[in-house]
Amino acid sequence: MQVTVLPASARTSQATIRALLAHPSAPSVKGIYRDPSKAPEEFTSSPRFEALKGDMQDSASLELGLEGSDAVVVTIPPVRDPTIDIIANAVRMAENVKTAVNKIGAVKKLIMVSTKGAQYDHGLGEVLSTLHKAEKIVVDTKCESITFLRCAYFMENWASSIPMVKGDPSFFFSTITPLDWAMPMVAIKDIGAACADAALSDSSAASNKVNTVELQGPKPYSALDVKKAFEEVIGGGKEVQVRPIEREALVGFFCQVFRHPTVAKWFGEMIMAATPGGIMVEDPEPTEDYLYGKTGLVDVLRGMW
């Protein structure tokens, strides 16, 4: 069994490669990098791993990397460059993956890391709309089975709060409001495990060619739960303050973070889509199948600490 992961540098891709290399079935694993020399020793030290050169912007280079693959796990990398049309960029990468897989003609399974809410063509904002567009392109790729893993909010997104939590006073900002509203979150480790399981499963046993699964953690978390999780990680009874950023202040807040109004708008739209009043919360056409990871928020925060 040979599984190819691209681009291998993405966080979800790295988690997938770890899960594949640890799997008892011992598959061969290829990682596609623009610069293979940047593949970490953690992977290259394994005799079952091979780092190959390829670029999501060039379908011909992907064909070389995907040759011989039984399964392909793909992530459409997010872009924060305001000079780029991020939707056109995502469409181009998805088209290149589809073209490469179709030309090879022997790939059995294609797994794409997507987002909760990707089924909607409105209300997502530009960042999340890239994955809606990508799904629409990839869905008719020529292979036995296609799996879209629609992931919840990454628990690792709280990493940027750690320096503030370590400070005095200890606090963090939450763009997730109301503070007591709990939303689905998932650990990147669990995304990698789900991708590996999907890649190594028996595609002939699938009832549908296209399978869509919403991936969440073991339970939803509110900003107040995040506060408690930080306090547990710190220990010693230290209190952590949480400072809410309300919906009307999101774009201004992200302007201070990213220093560019276009990027601030992208992130404001994304949070509004994922919180009360947004399409992902209203969810009029929910994904039918769900998968729940095992990793809790405290473990994720402790691992980043």
Side-chain angles (χ1 to χ4, degrees), residues 10-24:
R11 292 186 298 170
T12 53
S13 297
Q14 293 178 57
T16 300
I17 293 170
R18 288 189 191 98
L20 289 167
L21 292 177
H23 199 277

PDB file of all heavy atoms in Angstrom, residues 10-24:
ATOM      1  N   ALA A  10       2.093  20.974   5.164  1.00  0.00           N
ATOM      2  CA  ALA A  10       0.922  21.468   5.902  1.00  0.00           C
ATOM      3  C   ALA A  10       0.807  20.746   7.249  1.00  0.00           C
ATOM      4  O   ALA A  10       1.208  19.591   7.383  1.00  0.00           O
ATOM      5  CB  ALA A  10      -0.343  21.253   5.079  1.00  0.00           C
ATOM      6  N   ARG A  11       0.245  21.442   8.249  1.00  0.00           N
ATOM      7  CA  ARG A  11       0.148  20.837   9.583  1.00  0.00           C
ATOM      8  C   ARG A  11      -0.676  19.554   9.571  1.00  0.00           C
ATOM      9  O   ARG A  11      -0.319  18.563  10.218  1.00  0.00           O
ATOM     10  CB  ARG A  11      -0.458  21.841  10.578  1.00  0.00           C
ATOM     11  CG  ARG A  11       0.425  23.039  10.889  1.00  0.00           C
ATOM     12  CD  ARG A  11      -0.185  23.891  11.990  1.00  0.00           C
ATOM     13  NE  ARG A  11      -1.486  24.446  11.607  1.00  0.00           N
ATOM     14  CZ  ARG A  11      -2.317  25.065  12.444  1.00  0.00           C
ATOM     15  NH1 ARG A  11      -1.999  25.182  13.726  1.00  0.00           N
ATOM     16  NH2 ARG A  11      -3.468  25.560  12.016  1.00  0.00           N
ATOM     17  N   THR A  12      -1.780  19.564   8.838  1.00  0.00           N
ATOM     18  CA  THR A  12      -2.604  18.359   8.765  1.00  0.00           C
ATOM     19  C   THR A  12      -1.876  17.246   8.019  1.00  0.00           C
ATOM     20  O   THR A  12      -2.031  16.067   8.343  1.00  0.00           O
ATOM     21  CB  THR A  12      -3.947  18.664   8.080  1.00  0.00           C
ATOM     22  OG1 THR A  12      -3.709  19.304   6.821  1.00  0.00           O
ATOM     23  CG2 THR A  12      -4.799  19.582   8.955  1.00  0.00           C
ATOM     24  N   SER A  13      -1.078  17.623   7.033  1.00  0.00           N
ATOM     25  CA  SER A  13      -0.302  16.631   6.289  1.00  0.00           C
ATOM     26  C   SER A  13       0.760  15.989   7.177  1.00  0.00           C
ATOM     27  O   SER A  13       0.979  14.771   7.130  1.00  0.00           O
ATOM     28  CB  SER A  13       0.361  17.280   5.079  1.00  0.00           C
ATOM     29  OG  SER A  13      -0.600  17.776   4.167  1.00  0.00           O
ATOM     30  N   GLN A  14       1.432  16.792   7.984  1.00  0.00           N
ATOM     31  CA  GLN A  14       2.439  16.244   8.896  1.00  0.00           C
ATOM     32  C   GLN A  14       1.808  15.264   9.877  1.00  0.00           C
ATOM     33  O   GLN A  14       2.374  14.192  10.155  1.00  0.00           O
ATOM     34  CB  GLN A  14       3.124  17.381   9.652  1.00  0.00           C
ATOM     35  CG  GLN A  14       3.970  18.280   8.769  1.00  0.00           C
ATOM     36  CD  GLN A  14       4.600  19.417   9.547  1.00  0.00           C
ATOM     37  OE1 GLN A  14       5.315  19.193  10.518  1.00  0.00           O
ATOM     38  NE2 GLN A  14       4.326  20.641   9.132  1.00  0.00           N
ATOM     39  N   ALA A  15       0.630  15.616  10.386  1.00  0.00           N
ATOM     40  CA  ALA A  15      -0.068  14.716  11.308  1.00  0.00           C
ATOM     41  C   ALA A  15      -0.471  13.430  10.603  1.00  0.00           C
ATOM     42  O   ALA A  15      -0.428  12.333  11.194  1.00  0.00           O
ATOM     43  CB  ALA A  15      -1.299  15.413  11.885  1.00  0.00           C
ATOM     44  N   THR A  16      -0.849  13.532   9.335  1.00  0.00           N
ATOM     45  CA  THR A  16      -1.221  12.351   8.555  1.00  0.00           C
ATOM     46  C   THR A  16      -0.020  11.441   8.344  1.00  0.00           C
ATOM     47  O   THR A  16      -0.110  10.219   8.501  1.00  0.00           O
ATOM     48  CB  THR A  16      -1.806  12.777   7.194  1.00  0.00           C
ATOM     49  OG1 THR A  16      -2.964  13.582   7.411  1.00  0.00           O
ATOM     50  CG2 THR A  16      -2.176  11.569   6.360  1.00  0.00           C
ATOM     51  N   ILE A  17       1.109  12.025   8.003  1.00  0.00           N
ATOM     52  CA  ILE A  17       2.321  11.231   7.786  1.00  0.00           C
ATOM     53  C   ILE A  17       2.725  10.511   9.067  1.00  0.00           C
ATOM     54  O   ILE A  17       3.081   9.319   9.048  1.00  0.00           O
ATOM     55  CB  ILE A  17       3.464  12.124   7.266  1.00  0.00           C
ATOM     56  CG1 ILE A  17       3.127  12.621   5.857  1.00  0.00           C
ATOM     57  CG2 ILE A  17       4.795  11.365   7.257  1.00  0.00           C
ATOM     58  CD1 ILE A  17       4.052  13.707   5.334  1.00  0.00           C
ATOM     59  N   ARG A  18       2.650  11.202  10.208  1.00  0.00           N
ATOM     60  CA  ARG A  18       2.972  10.547  11.491  1.00  0.00           C
ATOM     61  C   ARG A  18       2.062   9.351  11.735  1.00  0.00           C
ATOM     62  O   ARG A  18       2.513   8.277  12.157  1.00  0.00           O
ATOM     63  CB  ARG A  18       2.824  11.544  12.641  1.00  0.00           C
ATOM     64  CG  ARG A  18       3.895  12.600  12.704  1.00  0.00           C
ATOM     65  CD  ARG A  18       3.820  13.414  13.980  1.00  0.00           C
ATOM     66  NE  ARG A  18       4.705  14.564  13.871  1.00  0.00           N
ATOM     67  CZ  ARG A  18       4.294  15.795  13.537  1.00  0.00           C
ATOM     68  NH1 ARG A  18       3.000  16.023  13.329  1.00  0.00           N
ATOM     69  NH2 ARG A  18       5.153  16.773  13.429  1.00  0.00           N
ATOM     70  N   ALA A  19       0.765   9.549  11.481  1.00  0.00           N
ATOM     71  CA  ALA A  19      -0.194   8.467  11.711  1.00  0.00           C
ATOM     72  C   ALA A  19       0.069   7.300  10.762  1.00  0.00           C
ATOM     73  O   ALA A  19      -0.033   6.126  11.157  1.00  0.00           O
ATOM     74  CB  ALA A  19      -1.616   8.994  11.529  1.00  0.00           C
ATOM     75  N   LEU A  20       0.409   7.581   9.519  1.00  0.00           N
ATOM     76  CA  LEU A  20       0.688   6.518   8.547  1.00  0.00           C
ATOM     77  C   LEU A  20       1.946   5.741   8.922  1.00  0.00           C
ATOM     78  O   LEU A  20       1.977   4.497   8.846  1.00  0.00           O
ATOM     79  CB  LEU A  20       0.842   7.118   7.148  1.00  0.00           C
ATOM     80  CG  LEU A  20      -0.435   7.637   6.490  1.00  0.00           C
ATOM     81  CD1 LEU A  20      -0.092   8.486   5.269  1.00  0.00           C
ATOM     82  CD2 LEU A  20      -1.358   6.478   6.091  1.00  0.00           C
ATOM     83  N   LEU A  21       3.003   6.443   9.331  1.00  0.00           N
ATOM     84  CA  LEU A  21       4.248   5.773   9.685  1.00  0.00           C
ATOM     85  C   LEU A  21       4.114   4.949  10.962  1.00  0.00           C
ATOM     86  O   LEU A  21       4.861   3.985  11.171  1.00  0.00           O
ATOM     87  CB  LEU A  21       5.382   6.799   9.831  1.00  0.00           C
ATOM     88  CG  LEU A  21       5.820   7.492   8.539  1.00  0.00           C
ATOM     89  CD1 LEU A  21       6.893   8.539   8.826  1.00  0.00           C
ATOM     90  CD2 LEU A  21       6.324   6.479   7.507  1.00  0.00           C
ATOM     91  N   ALA A  22       3.150   5.330  11.816  1.00  0.00           N
ATOM     92  CA  ALA A  22       2.924   4.587  13.061  1.00  0.00           C
ATOM     93  C   ALA A  22       1.920   3.453  12.890  1.00  0.00           C
ATOM     94  O   ALA A  22       1.726   2.651  13.805  1.00  0.00           O
ATOM     95  CB  ALA A  22       2.427   5.546  14.146  1.00  0.00           C
ATOM     96  N   HIS A  23       1.296   3.381  11.721  1.00  0.00           N
ATOM     97  CA  HIS A  23       0.224   2.403  11.529  1.00  0.00           C
ATOM     98  C   HIS A  23       0.786   0.981  11.420  1.00  0.00           C
ATOM     99  O   HIS A  23       1.807   0.755  10.761  1.00  0.00           O
ATOM    100  CB  HIS A  23      -0.560   2.742  10.259  1.00  0.00           C
ATOM    101  CG  HIS A  23      -1.919   2.111  10.218  1.00  0.00           C
ATOM    102  ND1 HIS A  23      -2.125   0.817   9.797  1.00  0.00           N
ATOM    103  CD2 HIS A  23      -3.143   2.593  10.582  1.00  0.00           C
ATOM    104  CE1 HIS A  23      -3.408   0.524   9.888  1.00  0.00           C
ATOM    105  NE2 HIS A  23      -4.052   1.585  10.356  1.00  0.00           N
ATOM    106  N   PRO A  24       0.124   0.009  12.072  1.00  0.00           N
ATOM    107  CA  PRO A  24       0.648  -1.371  12.059  1.00  0.00           C
ATOM    108  C   PRO A  24       0.679  -2.031  10.685  1.00  0.00           C
ATOM    109  O   PRO A  24       1.421  -2.986  10.474  1.00  0.00           O
ATOM    110  CB  PRO A  24      -0.318  -2.116  13.001  1.00  0.00           C
ATOM    111  CG  PRO A  24      -1.545  -1.271  13.072  1.00  0.00           C
ATOM    112  CD  PRO A  24      -1.062   0.138  12.927  1.00  0.00           C
TER     113      PRO A  24
END
